mmCIF file of all heavy atoms in Angstrom:
data_model
loop_
_atom_site.group_PDB
_atom_site.id
_atom_site.type_symbol
_atom_site.label_atom_id
_atom_site.label_comp_id
_atom_site.label_asym_id
_atom_site.label_seq_id
_atom_site.Cartn_x
_atom_site.Cartn_y
_atom_site.Cartn_z
ATOM 1 N N PRO A 37 5.069 -15.981 17.018
ATOM 2 C CA PRO A 37 6.060 -16.796 16.178
ATOM 3 C C PRO A 37 6.578 -18.006 16.863
ATOM 4 O O PRO A 37 6.922 -18.900 16.317
ATOM 5 C CB PRO A 37 7.184 -15.713 15.783
ATOM 6 C CG PRO A 37 6.951 -14.604 16.800
ATOM 7 C CD PRO A 37 5.485 -14.601 17.131
ATOM 8 N N ALA A 38 6.754 -17.873 18.268
ATOM 9 C CA ALA A 38 7.384 -18.985 18.975
ATOM 10 C C ALA A 38 6.528 -20.295 18.847
ATOM 11 O O ALA A 38 7.122 -21.414 18.962
ATOM 12 C CB ALA A 38 7.650 -18.538 20.472
ATOM 13 N N ASP A 39 5.196 -20.121 18.601
ATOM 14 C CA ASP A 39 4.338 -21.308 18.542
ATOM 15 C C ASP A 39 4.149 -21.802 17.140
ATOM 16 O O ASP A 39 3.621 -22.899 16.866
ATOM 17 C CB ASP A 39 2.904 -20.891 18.978
ATOM 18 C CG ASP A 39 2.765 -20.482 20.436
ATOM 19 O OD1 ASP A 39 3.855 -20.700 21.141
ATOM 20 O OD2 ASP A 39 1.815 -19.820 20.815
ATOM 21 N N ALA A 40 4.794 -21.129 16.248
ATOM 22 C CA ALA A 40 4.396 -21.383 14.750
ATOM 23 C C ALA A 40 5.099 -22.668 14.236
ATOM 24 O O ALA A 40 6.202 -22.966 14.612
ATOM 25 C CB ALA A 40 4.803 -20.241 13.944
ATOM 26 N N ASP A 41 4.301 -23.445 13.372
ATOM 27 C CA ASP A 41 4.784 -24.566 12.689
ATOM 28 C C ASP A 41 5.439 -24.045 11.330
ATOM 29 O O ASP A 41 6.283 -24.827 10.742
ATOM 30 C CB ASP A 41 3.800 -25.612 12.397
ATOM 31 C CG ASP A 41 3.121 -26.126 13.714
ATOM 32 O OD1 ASP A 41 3.760 -26.909 14.318
ATOM 33 O OD2 ASP A 41 1.974 -25.705 14.054
ATOM 34 N N MET A 42 4.988 -22.889 10.941
ATOM 35 C CA MET A 42 5.510 -22.271 9.795
ATOM 36 C C MET A 42 5.543 -20.847 9.931
ATOM 37 O O MET A 42 4.604 -20.198 10.468
ATOM 38 C CB MET A 42 4.800 -22.679 8.492
ATOM 39 C CG MET A 42 5.357 -21.962 7.288
ATOM 40 S SD MET A 42 4.660 -22.753 5.754
ATOM 41 C CE MET A 42 5.563 -21.682 4.527
ATOM 42 N N ALA A 43 6.652 -20.047 9.583
ATOM 43 C CA ALA A 43 6.718 -18.705 9.713
ATOM 44 C C ALA A 43 7.098 -18.106 8.325
ATOM 45 O O ALA A 43 8.032 -18.666 7.640
ATOM 46 C CB ALA A 43 7.728 -18.223 10.726
ATOM 47 N N ILE A 44 6.282 -17.156 7.925
ATOM 48 C CA ILE A 44 6.588 -16.473 6.564
ATOM 49 C C ILE A 44 6.936 -14.954 6.778
ATOM 50 O O ILE A 44 6.171 -14.255 7.517
ATOM 51 C CB ILE A 44 5.411 -16.567 5.602
ATOM 52 C CG1 ILE A 44 5.018 -18.015 5.445
ATOM 53 C CG2 ILE A 44 5.762 -15.843 4.247
ATOM 54 C CD1 ILE A 44 3.699 -18.138 4.482
ATOM 55 N N LEU A 45 8.053 -14.595 6.348
ATOM 56 C CA LEU A 45 8.328 -13.111 6.386
ATOM 57 C C LEU A 45 7.948 -12.607 4.955
ATOM 58 O O LEU A 45 8.691 -12.982 3.999
ATOM 59 C CB LEU A 45 9.865 -12.858 6.662
ATOM 60 C CG LEU A 45 10.399 -13.365 8.005
ATOM 61 C CD1 LEU A 45 11.754 -12.773 8.147
ATOM 62 C CD2 LEU A 45 9.543 -12.926 9.102
ATOM 63 N N ASN A 46 7.043 -11.748 4.887
ATOM 64 C CA ASN A 46 6.732 -11.025 3.602
ATOM 65 C C ASN A 46 7.466 -9.713 3.578
ATOM 66 O O ASN A 46 6.962 -8.773 4.233
ATOM 67 C CB ASN A 46 5.180 -11.010 3.508
ATOM 68 C CG ASN A 46 4.831 -10.794 2.047
ATOM 69 O OD1 ASN A 46 5.662 -10.811 1.073
ATOM 70 N ND2 ASN A 46 3.599 -10.492 1.795
ATOM 71 N N THR A 47 8.507 -9.642 2.836
ATOM 72 C CA THR A 47 9.365 -8.659 3.016
ATOM 73 C C THR A 47 9.265 -7.430 1.981
ATOM 74 O O THR A 47 8.684 -7.583 0.976
ATOM 75 C CB THR A 47 10.864 -9.188 2.817
ATOM 76 O OG1 THR A 47 10.986 -9.713 1.512
ATOM 77 C CG2 THR A 47 11.123 -10.161 3.853
ATOM 78 N N CYS A 48 9.975 -6.281 2.285
ATOM 79 C CA CYS A 48 9.978 -5.120 1.528
ATOM 80 C C CYS A 48 11.483 -4.672 1.202
ATOM 81 O O CYS A 48 12.241 -4.594 2.132
ATOM 82 C CB CYS A 48 9.276 -4.031 2.209
ATOM 83 S SG CYS A 48 9.290 -2.386 1.431
ATOM 84 N N HIS A 49 11.671 -4.316 0.014
ATOM 85 C CA HIS A 49 13.084 -3.964 -0.448
ATOM 86 C C HIS A 49 13.181 -2.456 -0.718
ATOM 87 O O HIS A 49 14.288 -1.964 -1.208
ATOM 88 C CB HIS A 49 13.290 -4.774 -1.735
ATOM 89 C CG HIS A 49 14.803 -4.884 -2.098
ATOM 90 N ND1 HIS A 49 15.755 -5.326 -1.227
ATOM 91 C CD2 HIS A 49 15.406 -4.587 -3.198
ATOM 92 C CE1 HIS A 49 16.959 -5.361 -1.812
ATOM 93 N NE2 HIS A 49 16.743 -4.952 -3.033
#
Side-chain angles (χ1 to χ4, degrees):
D39 299 345
D41 299 286
M42 176 164 181
I44 303 177
L45 300 189
N46 198 6
T47 58
C48 174
H49 197 52

